[in-house]
PDB file of all heavy atoms in Angstrom:
ATOM      1  N   PRO K  25      -5.568  30.100   3.352  1.00 85.00           N
ATOM      2  CA  PRO K  25      -5.065  31.448   3.630  1.00 85.00           C
ATOM      3  C   PRO K  25      -5.604  32.006   4.951  1.00 85.00           C
ATOM      4  O   PRO K  25      -6.711  31.654   5.376  1.00 85.00           O
ATOM      5  CB  PRO K  25      -5.579  32.282   2.450  1.00 85.00           C
ATOM      6  CG  PRO K  25      -5.975  31.296   1.405  1.00 85.00           C
ATOM      7  CD  PRO K  25      -6.346  30.039   2.123  1.00 85.00           C
ATOM      8  N   ILE K  54     -11.903  16.369  -3.282  1.00 93.00           N
ATOM      9  CA  ILE K  54     -10.672  16.068  -4.028  1.00 93.00           C
ATOM     10  C   ILE K  54     -10.318  14.594  -3.866  1.00 93.00           C
ATOM     11  O   ILE K  54     -10.002  13.901  -4.837  1.00 93.00           O
ATOM     12  CB  ILE K  54      -9.517  16.971  -3.553  1.00 93.00           C
ATOM     13  CG1 ILE K  54      -9.792  18.428  -3.934  1.00 93.00           C
ATOM     14  CG2 ILE K  54      -8.186  16.492  -4.132  1.00 93.00           C
ATOM     15  CD1 ILE K  54      -8.884  19.429  -3.238  1.00 93.00           C
ATOM     16  N   GLY K  66      -8.200   0.948 -12.504  1.00 96.00           N
ATOM     17  CA  GLY K  66      -8.110  -0.418 -11.990  1.00 96.00           C
ATOM     18  C   GLY K  66      -7.353  -0.547 -10.678  1.00 96.00           C
ATOM     19  O   GLY K  66      -6.903  -1.634 -10.326  1.00 96.00           O
ATOM     20  N   ARG K  70      -8.803   3.939  -0.885  1.00 91.00           N
ATOM     21  CA  ARG K  70      -9.842   4.455   0.012  1.00 91.00           C
ATOM     22  C   ARG K  70      -9.334   5.710   0.707  1.00 91.00           C
ATOM     23  O   ARG K  70      -8.140   5.882   0.948  1.00 91.00           O
ATOM     24  CB  ARG K  70     -10.297   3.418   1.013  1.00 91.00           C
ATOM     25  CG  ARG K  70      -9.325   3.084   2.101  1.00 91.00           C
ATOM     26  CD  ARG K  70      -9.950   2.068   3.074  1.00 91.00           C
ATOM     27  NE  ARG K  70      -9.001   1.668   4.075  1.00 91.00           N
ATOM     28  CZ  ARG K  70      -8.892   2.221   5.277  1.00 91.00           C
ATOM     29  NH1 ARG K  70      -9.677   3.211   5.621  1.00 91.00           N
ATOM     30  NH2 ARG K  70      -8.005   1.781   6.146  1.00 91.00           N
ATOM     31  N   TYR K  75      -8.469  10.236  12.321  1.00 80.00           N
ATOM     32  CA  TYR K  75      -8.690   9.422  13.511  1.00 80.00           C
ATOM     33  C   TYR K  75      -8.030   8.056  13.361  1.00 80.00           C
ATOM     34  O   TYR K  75      -8.578   7.151  12.748  1.00 80.00           O
ATOM     35  CB  TYR K  75     -10.187   9.277  13.801  1.00 80.00           C
ATOM     36  CG  TYR K  75     -10.832  10.609  14.060  1.00 80.00           C
ATOM     37  CD1 TYR K  75     -11.654  11.203  13.107  1.00 80.00           C
ATOM     38  CD2 TYR K  75     -10.593  11.293  15.253  1.00 80.00           C
ATOM     39  CE1 TYR K  75     -12.237  12.440  13.346  1.00 80.00           C
ATOM     40  CE2 TYR K  75     -11.168  12.524  15.495  1.00 80.00           C
ATOM     41  CZ  TYR K  75     -11.987  13.086  14.541  1.00 80.00           C
ATOM     42  OH  TYR K  75     -12.551  14.304  14.767  1.00 80.00           O
ATOM     43  N   ALA K 119      -1.340   0.201  -4.445  1.00 92.00           N
ATOM     44  CA  ALA K 119      -0.392   0.144  -5.557  1.00 92.00           C
ATOM     45  C   ALA K 119       0.923   0.745  -5.073  1.00 92.00           C
ATOM     46  O   ALA K 119       0.918   1.656  -4.232  1.00 92.00           O
ATOM     47  CB  ALA K 119      -0.911   0.938  -6.759  1.00 92.00           C
ATOM     48  N   GLU K 145      -3.167  29.820  26.014  1.00 86.00           N
ATOM     49  CA  GLU K 145      -3.049  28.762  27.030  1.00 86.00           C
ATOM     50  C   GLU K 145      -1.595  28.392  27.312  1.00 86.00           C
ATOM     51  O   GLU K 145      -1.325  27.443  28.034  1.00 86.00           O
ATOM     52  CB  GLU K 145      -3.819  27.512  26.588  1.00 86.00           C
ATOM     53  CG  GLU K 145      -5.284  27.737  26.315  1.00 86.00           C
ATOM     54  CD  GLU K 145      -6.053  28.280  27.511  1.00 86.00           C
ATOM     55  OE1 GLU K 145      -5.688  27.958  28.660  1.00 86.00           O
ATOM     56  OE2 GLU K 145      -7.011  29.033  27.284  1.00 86.00           O
ATOM     57  N   VAL K 170     -19.840  31.074  17.970  1.00 71.00           N
ATOM     58  CA  VAL K 170     -20.952  31.905  17.528  1.00 71.00           C
ATOM     59  C   VAL K 170     -21.593  31.248  16.311  1.00 71.00           C
ATOM     60  O   VAL K 170     -20.907  30.768  15.417  1.00 71.00           O
ATOM     61  CB  VAL K 170     -20.431  33.318  17.158  1.00 71.00           C
ATOM     62  CG1 VAL K 170     -21.527  34.158  16.553  1.00 71.00           C
ATOM     63  CG2 VAL K 170     -19.817  33.990  18.367  1.00 71.00           C
ATOM     64  N   GLU K 175     -27.200  33.188   5.014  1.00 73.00           N
ATOM     65  CA  GLU K 175     -27.361  34.349   4.144  1.00 73.00           C
ATOM     66  C   GLU K 175     -27.860  33.845   2.799  1.00 73.00           C
ATOM     67  O   GLU K 175     -27.977  32.641   2.575  1.00 73.00           O
ATOM     68  CB  GLU K 175     -26.022  35.072   3.988  1.00 73.00           C
ATOM     69  CG  GLU K 175     -25.508  35.663   5.291  1.00 73.00           C
ATOM     70  CD  GLU K 175     -24.145  36.319   5.118  1.00 73.00           C
ATOM     71  OE1 GLU K 175     -23.691  36.482   3.967  1.00 73.00           O
ATOM     72  OE2 GLU K 175     -23.544  36.654   6.144  1.00 73.00           O
ATOM     73  N   LYS K 178     -25.088  31.674   1.448  1.00 71.00           N
ATOM     74  CA  LYS K 178     -24.326  30.851   2.383  1.00 71.00           C
ATOM     75  C   LYS K 178     -25.250  30.194   3.398  1.00 71.00           C
ATOM     76  O   LYS K 178     -26.172  30.829   3.894  1.00 71.00           O
ATOM     77  CB  LYS K 178     -23.320  31.714   3.164  1.00 71.00           C
ATOM     78  CG  LYS K 178     -22.181  32.252   2.366  1.00 71.00           C
ATOM     79  CD  LYS K 178     -21.239  33.010   3.289  1.00 71.00           C
ATOM     80  CE  LYS K 178     -20.048  33.547   2.528  1.00 71.00           C
ATOM     81  NZ  LYS K 178     -19.140  34.261   3.415  1.00 71.00           N
ATOM     82  N   ALA K 180     -26.132  28.446   7.173  1.00 64.00           N
ATOM     83  CA  ALA K 180     -25.751  28.778   8.539  1.00 64.00           C
ATOM     84  C   ALA K 180     -24.448  28.052   8.867  1.00 64.00           C
ATOM     85  O   ALA K 180     -24.175  26.974   8.359  1.00 64.00           O
ATOM     86  CB  ALA K 180     -26.842  28.355   9.518  1.00 64.00           C
ATOM     87  N   SER K 195       5.825  33.585  11.021  1.00 86.00           N
ATOM     88  CA  SER K 195       6.416  34.564  10.108  1.00 86.00           C
ATOM     89  C   SER K 195       6.983  33.924   8.844  1.00 86.00           C
ATOM     90  O   SER K 195       7.476  34.645   7.980  1.00 86.00           O
ATOM     91  CB  SER K 195       7.511  35.360  10.832  1.00 86.00           C
ATOM     92  OG  SER K 195       8.518  34.477  11.291  1.00 86.00           O
ATOM     93  N   THR K 199       9.019  31.026   1.017  1.00 63.00           N
ATOM     94  CA  THR K 199       9.932  31.410  -0.050  1.00 63.00           C
ATOM     95  C   THR K 199      10.838  30.276  -0.507  1.00 63.00           C
ATOM     96  O   THR K 199      11.500  30.383  -1.520  1.00 63.00           O
ATOM     97  CB  THR K 199      10.828  32.573   0.415  1.00 63.00           C
ATOM     98  OG1 THR K 199      11.519  32.179   1.611  1.00 63.00           O
ATOM     99  CG2 THR K 199      10.005  33.820   0.678  1.00 63.00           C
ATOM    100  N   GLY K 204      11.423  20.830  -9.005  1.00 48.00           N
ATOM    101  CA  GLY K 204      10.584  19.819  -9.614  1.00 48.00           C
ATOM    102  C   GLY K 204       9.308  19.488  -8.863  1.00 48.00           C
ATOM    103  O   GLY K 204       8.608  18.571  -9.219  1.00 48.00           O
TER     104      GLY K 204
END
Side-chain angles (χ1 to χ4, degrees):
I54 293 167
R70 72 177 176 95
Y75 299 106
E145 302 301 329
V170 174
E175 295 177 10
K178 291 183 179 181
S195 60
T199 56

